[in-house]
Amino acid sequence: MSDCIFCQRDRLEIIAENELALAFKDSCPVSEGHCLVIPKRHVATYFDAGPEEHSAISILIGEVSRILNRDLSPDGYNIGANVGEAAGQTVFHFHIHIIPRYRGDVADPRGGVRKVIPNRSCPLRDSK
Ligand code: 5GP
Ligand code: ZN
């Protein structure tokens, strides 16, 4: 799709690819090494991709983690997709965020992606 930024491959800093998927650096990284993995085909959300694309994306997520482990040695990862405006999606070409995490990057990391809605921590597991 010509007006989609993720379809303009020459503008992306691509770090890995396979037949159906691409991995590139996020231009506004949440943490050092933040990458996105997308299907090469323009589809809007996670649920619009087919099983072969999901498989290719999954393989590429593994490759990206090996590259980031080698280059940055993160202590953990958050991996996930925003699906729809209500969930925070801003670019409507399906992408998976790979966000490397580093010990001490936030005061209390417990709960991770649960914290997309603040103040809903599970008292026994997510907070001190
Ligand atoms: P969303 O909010 O849709 O889940 O995530 C969109 C992501 O795309 C954000 O993390 C944002 O920083 C990234 N992004 C937006 N525009 C560009 C761009 O032109 N190039 C790259 N590489 N990433 C972008
Ligand atoms: Zn696109």
Side-chain angles (χ1 to χ4, degrees):
M1 213 171 105
S2 61
D3 59 348
C4 168
I5 46 174
F6 291 174
C7 282
Q8 295 169 38
R9 291 189 202 164
D10 52 333
R11 297 181 58 183
L12 305 174
E13 199 176 333
I14 294 168
I15 61 161
E17 71 177 292
N18 57 30
E19 193 188 342
L20 297 179
L22 278 179
F24 56 92
K25 293 189 178 173
D26 193 297
S27 61
C28 188
V30 167
S31 68
E32 190 180 6
H34 182 177
C35 289
L36 302 172
V37 178
I38 65 170
K40 287 182 174 174
R41 184 172 70 104
H42 180 94
V43 293
T45 80
Y46 180 98
F47 297 111
D48 299 312
E52 290 177 350
E53 287 165 320
H54 280 293
S55 170
I57 286 165
S58 186
I59 289 166
L60 215 48
I61 289 171
E63 273 183 44
V64 169
S65 78
R66 286 189 283 280
I67 292 168
L68 295 175
N69 288 343
R70 180 197 67 201
D71 293 349
L72 297 170
S73 302
D75 300 303
Y77 289 95
N78 295 111
I79 295 168
N82 299 325
V83 180
E85 232 171 63
Q89 186 172 3
T90 59
V91 176
F92 286 83
H93 181 139
F94 163 41
H95 50 281
I96 301 268
H97 293 264
I98 303 177
I99 301 176
R101 296 297 303 274
Y102 303 90
R103 239 174 238 114
D105 60 4
V106 298
D108 181 7
R110 283 182 290 183
V113 297
R114 283 177 53 92
K115 291 179 176 168
V116 291
I117 297 181
N119 307 316
R120 290 289 191 92
S121 61
C122 174
L124 294 177
R125 296 191 343 221
D126 296 345
S127 58
K128 283 178 182 157

